[in-house]
Amino acid sequence: QVQVAESGGGSVQAGGSLNLSCTASGYPYLRSCLAWFRQAPGKERELVATIEREGRTRYSDSVKGRFIVSEDSTKNSLLLEMNSLKPEDTGLYSCAAGIYCVSGVCSCWRQEYTSWGTGTQVTVSA
């Protein structure tokens, strides 16, 4: 059974930084993906960052240049370093795990994931 858990988050003023950590267990690392999503009140869930299996990092346009995603394969962890935070970064940040190839398409940059953590709140004040 795949289990996903997030840690980190909290409250910070605009321009500050926060670090998030996601740890997954019970899934085949080499054939799977981990990704960070976020959802602000009243808005749709947004895919924020992930790392493709060949190592390429991918970001949404809204966080590119400010967030850094990295992984620790020995710990099955996906880390998210968030810098220059803005009030619009406020939301519930969730980590998700899923199989790398779905319906013949192999990419971690997608909306469909099967296992989710409960999320961690990030609040950025102006």
Coordinates of all heavy atoms in Angstrom, one line a residue, residues 80-113:
L80 N 10.7 20.4 -1.8 CA 10.4 21.6 -2.5 C 10.9 22.8 -1.7 O 10.4 23.1 -0.6 CB 8.9 21.7 -2.8 CG 8.4 22.8 -3.7 CD1 8.9 22.7 -5.1 CD2 6.9 22.9 -3.7
E81 N 11.8 23.5 -2.3 CA 12.4 24.7 -1.7 C 11.6 25.9 -2.4 O 11.7 26.1 -3.6 CB 13.9 24.8 -2.0 CG 14.5 26.1 -1.4 CD 16.0 26.2 -1.7 OE1 16.6 25.1 -2.0 OE2 16.5 27.3 -1.8
M82 N 10.9 26.7 -1.5 CA 10.1 27.8 -2.1 C 10.7 29.1 -1.6 O 10.8 29.4 -0.4 CB 8.7 27.6 -1.6 CG 8.0 26.3 -1.9 SD 6.3 26.2 -1.4 CE 6.5 26.3 0.4
N83 N 11.1 29.9 -2.6 CA 11.8 31.2 -2.3 C 11.0 32.3 -2.9 O 10.1 32.1 -3.8 CB 13.2 31.2 -2.9 CG 14.1 30.0 -2.4 OD1 14.2 29.9 -1.2 ND2 14.6 29.2 -3.3
S84 N 11.3 33.5 -2.4 CA 10.6 34.7 -2.9 C 9.1 34.5 -2.9 O 8.4 34.8 -3.9 CB 11.1 35.1 -4.3 OG 12.5 35.3 -4.3
L85 N 8.6 34.0 -1.8 CA 7.1 33.7 -1.8 C 6.3 34.9 -1.9 O 6.6 36.0 -1.5 CB 6.8 32.9 -0.5 CG 7.3 31.5 -0.5 CD1 7.3 30.9 0.9 CD2 6.4 30.6 -1.4
K86 N 5.1 34.7 -2.6 CA 4.2 35.7 -2.8 C 2.8 35.3 -2.2 O 2.6 34.2 -2.0 CB 3.9 35.9 -4.3 CG 5.2 36.2 -5.1 CD 4.9 36.2 -6.6 CE 6.1 36.4 -7.4 NZ 5.8 36.5 -8.9
P87 N 2.0 36.3 -1.9 CA 0.7 36.0 -1.3 C -0.1 35.0 -2.2 O -0.8 34.1 -1.6 CB 0.0 37.3 -1.2 CG 1.1 38.3 -1.0 CD 2.2 37.8 -1.9
E88 N 0.1 35.1 -3.5 CA -0.7 34.1 -4.4 C -0.1 32.7 -4.3 O -0.7 31.8 -4.9 CB -0.6 34.7 -5.8 CG 0.7 35.0 -6.3 CD 1.0 36.5 -6.2 OE1 0.7 37.1 -5.1 OE2 1.6 37.1 -7.2
D89 N 1.0 32.5 -3.6 CA 1.4 31.1 -3.4 C 0.7 30.4 -2.2 O 0.9 29.2 -2.0 CB 2.9 31.1 -3.0 CG 3.8 31.6 -4.2 OD1 3.5 31.2 -5.3 OD2 4.8 32.3 -4.0
T90 N -0.1 31.2 -1.5 CA -0.9 30.6 -0.4 C -1.8 29.5 -0.9 O -2.5 29.6 -1.9 CB -1.7 31.7 0.2 OG1 -0.9 32.6 0.9 CG2 -2.7 31.1 1.3
G91 N -1.8 28.4 -0.1 CA -2.7 27.3 -0.5 C -2.3 26.0 0.2 O -1.4 26.0 1.0
L92 N -3.1 25.0 0.0 CA -2.8 23.6 0.5 C -1.9 22.9 -0.5 O -2.3 22.7 -1.6 CB -4.1 22.9 0.7 CG -3.9 21.5 1.4 CD1 -3.4 21.7 2.8 CD2 -5.1 20.7 1.3
Y93 N -0.7 22.6 0.0 CA 0.3 21.9 -0.9 C 0.2 20.4 -0.6 O 0.4 20.0 0.5 CB 1.7 22.5 -0.6 CG 1.9 23.8 -1.3 CD1 1.3 24.9 -0.8 CD2 2.8 23.9 -2.4 CE1 1.4 26.2 -1.4 CE2 3.0 25.2 -2.9 CZ 2.3 26.3 -2.5 OH 2.5 27.5 -3.0
S94 N 0.0 19.6 -1.7 CA -0.1 18.2 -1.5 C 0.9 17.5 -2.4 O 1.2 18.0 -3.5 CB -1.5 17.7 -2.0 OG -2.5 18.3 -1.1
C95 N 1.4 16.4 -1.9 CA 2.3 15.5 -2.7 C 1.5 14.3 -3.2 O 0.6 13.8 -2.5 CB 3.4 15.1 -1.8 SG 4.7 14.1 -2.6
A96 N 1.8 13.9 -4.4 CA 1.2 12.7 -5.0 C 2.2 11.8 -5.6 O 3.2 12.2 -6.0 CB 0.2 13.2 -6.0
A97 N 1.8 10.5 -5.6 CA 2.6 9.4 -6.1 C 1.8 8.7 -7.2 O 0.6 8.5 -7.0 CB 3.1 8.5 -5.1
G98 N 2.5 8.2 -8.2 CA 1.8 7.5 -9.3 C 2.8 6.8 -10.2 O 4.0 7.0 -10.1
I99 N 2.3 5.9 -11.0 CA 3.1 5.2 -11.9 C 3.6 6.1 -13.0 O 2.8 7.0 -13.5 CB 2.3 4.0 -12.5 CG1 2.0 3.0 -11.4 CG2 3.1 3.3 -13.6 CD1 3.2 2.4 -10.7
Y100 N 4.8 5.9 -13.5 CA 5.4 6.8 -14.5 C 4.7 6.7 -15.8 O 4.4 7.8 -16.4 CB 6.9 6.4 -14.7 CG 7.6 7.2 -15.7 CD1 7.5 8.6 -15.7 CD2 8.5 6.6 -16.6 CE1 8.2 9.4 -16.6 CE2 9.2 7.4 -17.5 CZ 9.1 8.7 -17.5 OH 9.8 9.5 -18.4
C101 N 4.3 5.6 -16.3 CA 3.7 5.4 -17.6 C 2.2 5.1 -17.4 O 1.9 4.1 -16.8 CB 4.4 4.3 -18.4 SG 6.1 4.7 -18.8
V102 N 1.4 5.9 -18.0 CA -0.1 5.8 -17.9 C -0.7 5.8 -19.3 O -0.4 6.8 -20.0 CB -0.7 6.9 -17.0 CG1 -2.2 6.7 -17.0 CG2 -0.2 6.8 -15.6
S103 N -1.3 4.8 -19.7 CA -2.0 4.7 -21.0 C -1.0 4.9 -22.1 O -1.3 5.6 -23.1 CB -3.2 5.6 -21.1 OG -4.1 5.4 -20.1
G104 N 0.2 4.4 -22.0 CA 1.2 4.6 -23.0 C 2.0 5.9 -23.0 O 2.9 6.0 -23.8
V105 N 1.6 6.8 -22.1 CA 2.3 8.1 -22.0 C 3.2 8.1 -20.8 O 2.7 7.8 -19.7 CB 1.3 9.2 -22.0 CG1 2.1 10.6 -21.8 CG2 0.5 9.2 -23.2
C106 N 4.5 8.3 -20.9 CA 5.4 8.3 -19.8 C 5.9 9.7 -19.5 O 6.7 10.2 -20.2 CB 6.6 7.4 -20.1 SG 6.1 5.6 -20.4
S107 N 5.4 10.2 -18.4 CA 5.7 11.5 -17.9 C 5.2 11.7 -16.5 O 4.1 11.3 -16.2 CB 5.2 12.6 -18.9 OG 5.4 13.9 -18.3
C108 N 6.0 12.5 -15.7 CA 5.5 12.8 -14.4 C 4.7 14.1 -14.4 O 4.0 14.4 -13.4 CB 6.7 13.0 -13.4 SG 7.6 11.4 -13.2
W109 N 4.8 14.9 -15.5 CA 4.0 16.1 -15.6 C 2.6 15.8 -16.1 O 2.3 15.9 -17.3 CB 4.8 17.1 -16.6 CG 4.2 18.5 -16.5 CD1 3.4 19.0 -17.4 CD2 4.4 19.4 -15.5 NE1 3.1 20.3 -17.0 CE2 3.7 20.6 -15.9 CE3 5.1 19.5 -14.3 CZ2 3.6 21.7 -15.1 CZ3 5.1 20.6 -13.5 CH2 4.4 21.7 -13.9
R110 N 1.8 15.5 -15.2 CA 0.4 15.2 -15.6 C -0.5 15.4 -14.3 O 0.0 15.5 -13.2 CB 0.3 13.7 -16.0 CG 0.6 12.7 -15.0 CD 0.3 11.3 -15.4 NE 0.4 10.4 -14.3 CZ 1.4 9.6 -14.0 NH1 2.5 9.8 -14.7 NH2 1.4 8.8 -13.0
Q111 N -1.8 15.4 -14.5 CA -2.7 15.6 -13.4 C -3.1 14.3 -12.7 O -3.5 14.3 -11.6 CB -4.0 16.3 -14.0 CG -3.7 17.7 -14.6 CD -3.3 18.7 -13.5 OE1 -3.7 18.6 -12.3 NE2 -2.5 19.7 -13.9
E112 N -3.0 13.2 -13.5 CA -3.5 11.9 -12.9 C -2.5 11.3 -12.0 O -1.4 10.8 -12.5 CB -3.9 11.0 -14.1 CG -5.0 11.5 -15.0 CD -4.4 12.5 -16.0 OE1 -3.2 12.5 -16.2 OE2 -5.3 13.3 -16.5
Y113 N -2.8 11.2 -10.7 CA -2.0 10.5 -9.7 C -2.9 9.7 -8.9 O -4.1 10.1 -8.7 CB -1.2 11.5 -8.9 CG 0.1 12.0 -9.5 CD1 0.2 12.9 -10.5 CD2 1.3 11.3 -9.2 CE1 1.3 13.3 -11.1 CE2 2.5 11.7 -9.8 CZ 2.5 12.7 -10.8 OH 3.7 13.0 -11.4

